[in-house]
Amino acid sequence: MGTIEITKLGSAVLRKKSRSVGDERERICALLDKMAKVMYANKGVGLAAPQVGVDERVIIFDAGDGLVEIINPEIEHAEGSARSSEGCLSIPGAAVDVARAASIAVKGLNRDFEPVKFSLGGLPARIVQHELDHLNGVLIIDYLSFLKRKVFEKKWRKSSR
Ligand code: CO
């Protein structure tokens, strides 16, 4: 298993707005398991369902304190601003400075479809905002200036990924 399982820039599913998930525990648990496997195999700290080709609102992350799974995540509250460089498993080689809220409260459902809520700061807050972007078809290169983005896309097309 390698990066081959990750949907890469250029794939339509990465630009779609993902659908909310209904209560289909068995299917969603299988999806969550697959996502964790793919994330850890690729040494990622977060993953969104579109990155395994599924346009549904499911994200996972592990900022070093264990795996967190959130179904239908929604940011309830956001505060402050912090800028930092981000990468993305779907765009190997890209590193983009992105301004995010410094701290957030995010709610959603766990794998048992019970409501969960997390107050996050630092890296976990950044990861969740990055993964939520994926659910809305937004990628880190969208934060580049027009010119920088064009340069990156040209380079990307040239490389045979
Ligand atoms: Co990403």
Side-chain angles (χ1 to χ4, degrees):
M1 152 151 3
T3 50
I4 194 86
E5 299 217 12
I6 303 234
T7 310
K8 296 283 168 39
L9 177 65
S11 171
V13 69
L14 288 179
R15 289 308 194 177
K16 275 181 84 173
K17 187 166 162 65
S18 292
R19 299 172 286 128
S20 289
V21 174
D23 191 343
E24 297 168 77
R25 280 171 219 211
E26 218 169 294
R27 193 173 61 79
I28 296 304
C29 283
L31 172 63
L32 284 165
D33 291 341
K34 181 184 179 179
M35 286 172 65
K37 223 166 118 182
V38 170
M39 179 181 77
Y40 288 122
N42 290 284
K43 298 182 166 43
V45 290
L47 202 74
Q51 295 182 280
V52 293
V54 177
D55 61 334
E56 293 184 291
R57 303 190 80 77
V58 177
I59 66 171
I60 63 168
F61 69 93
D62 186 343
D65 299 315
L67 180 65
V68 178
E69 305 167 323
I70 313 178
I71 298 162
N72 296 337
E74 270 177 65
I75 290 180
E76 267 198 322
H77 182 74
E79 232 177 73
S81 177
R83 185 172 276 277
S84 190
S85 179
E86 294 181 16
C88 181
L89 291 176
S90 291
I91 320 176
V96 180
D97 236 35
V98 185
R100 304 279 190 194
S103 58
I104 59 168
V106 59
K107 65 169 188 176
L109 304 169
N110 65 15
R111 66 162 53 215
D112 297 316
F113 282 79
E114 296 159 346
V116 286
K117 190 172 166 176
F118 302 93
S119 292
L120 305 172
L123 184 60
R126 177 166 298 275
I127 298 169
V128 164
Q129 291 171 85
H130 175 116
E131 304 312 334
L132 257 160
D133 267 359
H134 274 299
L135 303 185
N136 295 320
V138 175
L139 300 170
I140 51 172
I141 54 167
D142 301 345
Y143 294 93
L144 289 170
S145 69
F146 179 79
L147 202 65
K148 279 186 177 165
R149 184 173 161 178
K150 290 294 146 204
V151 169
F152 179 83
E153 285 174 342
K154 199 173 167 188
K155 247 187 359 203
W156 178 269
R157 278 195 302 271
K158 271 190 189 160
S159 66
S160 51
R161 281 185 239 256

